[in-house]
């Protein structure tokens, strides 16, 4: 009997829960990502485009995924040493928590996991008495870590918004990748 009462109460609320699930709002967005790879001497700042798609579970919580592709590489040169980072893929899954998205300006935070893949090319050139000597190595590097960030939606209408956000994609001792995203979102 003790188990029957909670089950009966849950059954009474099931239609309301199901109604909320079926009234979810989906959204799709696209943004330009200004990536920032910190190094000991200077920062490397390549760029990428990302798509963002998700579902608004309630006015304050959304679940979303992201898929991006690098469009611009950047390099750092010091002495005879050059490092070039060319981002390839960015993938992420997040929980988005924020103020009611129906407000004119709706700030939010993101918690999730991301994976970033890049082609990293290092080149070293030095001059000797017999000429110059150079070496070049290229490898694909993948970083996968918990991610977090914060942003703000600026609503243009009920179905469209501009947004800006900062996201920490990876924070290892030797790999610190952050991004500033500027984009547009459409709700359906």
């Amino acid at each position: 009997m003790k188990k029957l009462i909670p089950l009966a109460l849950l059954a009474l609320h099931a239609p309301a829960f199901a109604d909320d699930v079926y009234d979810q709002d989906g959204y799709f967005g696209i943004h330009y990502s200004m990536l920032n790879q910190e190094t000991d001497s200077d920062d490397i700042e390549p760029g990428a485009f990302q798509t963002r798609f998700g579902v608004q579970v309630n006015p304050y919580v959304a679940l979303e995924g992201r898929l991006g592709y690098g469009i611009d590489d950047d390099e750092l040169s010091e002495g005879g040493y050059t490092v070039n980072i060319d981002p390839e893929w960015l993938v992420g899954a997040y929980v988005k928590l924020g103020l009611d998205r129906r407000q004119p300006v709706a700030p939010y935070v993101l918690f999730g996991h991301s994976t970033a893949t890049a082609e990293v090319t290092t080149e070293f050139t030095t001059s000797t008495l017999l000429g110059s000597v150079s070496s070049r190595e290229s490898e694909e590097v993948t970083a996968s870590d918990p991610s977090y960030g914060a942003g703000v939606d600026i609503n243009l209408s009920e179905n469209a918004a501009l947004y800006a956000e900062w996201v920490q994609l990876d924070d290892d001792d030797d790999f610190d990748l952050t991004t500033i995203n500027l984009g547009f979102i459409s709700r359906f």
Side-chain angles (χ1 to χ4, degrees), residues 91-130:
V91 178
Y94 297 94
V95 172
K96 178 183 166 189
L97 306 171
L99 294 182
D100 188 339
R101 69 162 181 86
R102 295 172 288 195
Q103 301 298 320
V105 176
Y108 58 86
V109 293
L110 295 167
F111 301 100
H113 190 83
S114 66
T115 301
T117 303
E119 185 73 26
V120 178
T121 305
T122 55
E123 192 170 345
F124 180 73
T125 304
T126 186
S127 297
T128 65
L129 293 175
L130 301 174

